[in-house]
Amino acid sequence: MSTVASPRPVTPNAVAPRRRAALDWRIRFGVLSLIWGFSFLLIKVGTHGYAPFQVTFGRLLFGSAVLVAAMAVKRERLPRGARTWGHLTVAAFLLNALPFSLFAYSELTIPSTLAGICNATSPLWGMALSLVALSEDRPTRRRVAGLGIGFLGVLTVLGVWQGFHGLDATGTAMALLASLSYPVGWIYVRRTLAGTGDSHLSMTGAQLLLATAQLAFVTPLFTTFPSHVAWVPLLAIAALGALGTGLAMLLQYGIVAEVGPTTAQMVTYFIPVIATAAGVAILGESLAWSTPVGAVIVLAGAFLTQAKPRR
């Protein structure tokens, strides 16, 4: 699958052809963009009532429930083999447990708008890493230029000429590290789990279950049980998991199967726009001029890094 900047699991096998869905793919594409764009707002709301690890655990728990239900309906089985489960454990950490937790911690100190824009840097990290780790990905002038332009956009978002004034360095670094974790995970999956023969749904269901287990172990060690139920943050976490992780995965696979990964990955360029609009309009987050300008530069660079060389 082509590199996509989003907070979601990725599985290695090609999607089998399927019959056309009743709902047009463009509508599903729009719904997917909205779901992932609003995910950063939901993370922010969730952290208003619960610790970041609790937000991540709830997200994975509700997301896993949706995929397990889908597997039951389609009568899919979990993958078999110790080797597959071992690699899936690493993938669950790199693609789910780690980035989801980092984004949750980052939004304790940075706006959801900035977290959404940091997420858009994932194709840039993926481009840089693939040049080193994947021998079949050859650099072109256009893609290298996209890489440089993209990171120039990151510096614009951060306001480097102001000395990062008013910016929480730790929170921003966590969001950028979360975005870096995705392509690291994708490369790992591509090298270790390609050709297993298991379906996307089966592999992703197992991956989310493993990530949930990892957070179930970690969360009690670093957090205390809430003294009361904060209903609005809890509903935000439930929506983040069931919609932003579970349903979004099912929508993505359907779109990839129908129109291919190249078109499906265009959702990357809508996520920061929606995340910024939601953060400003609903949460009342402030927006300096450098944030949208830098975001446009980041997206332009990311678009260039995804350009395929002409034959």
Side-chain angles (χ1 to χ4, degrees), residues 186-206:
W186 297 329
I187 291 173
Y188 180 84
V189 165
R190 189 170 171 180
R191 284 179 171 271
T192 61
L193 287 170
T196 62
D198 295 295
S199 70
H200 277 289
L201 181 59
S202 174
M203 296 287 282
T204 304

Side-chain angles (χ1 to χ4, degrees), residues 273-292:
V273 177
I274 296 171
T276 299
V280 172
I282 299 176
L283 297 180
E285 296 177 345
S286 60
L287 192 66
W289 69 266
S290 59
T291 302

Side-chain angles (χ1 to χ4, degrees), residues 25 109 111 114 150 215 239:
W25 73 267
T109 55
L114 179 56
L215 264 295

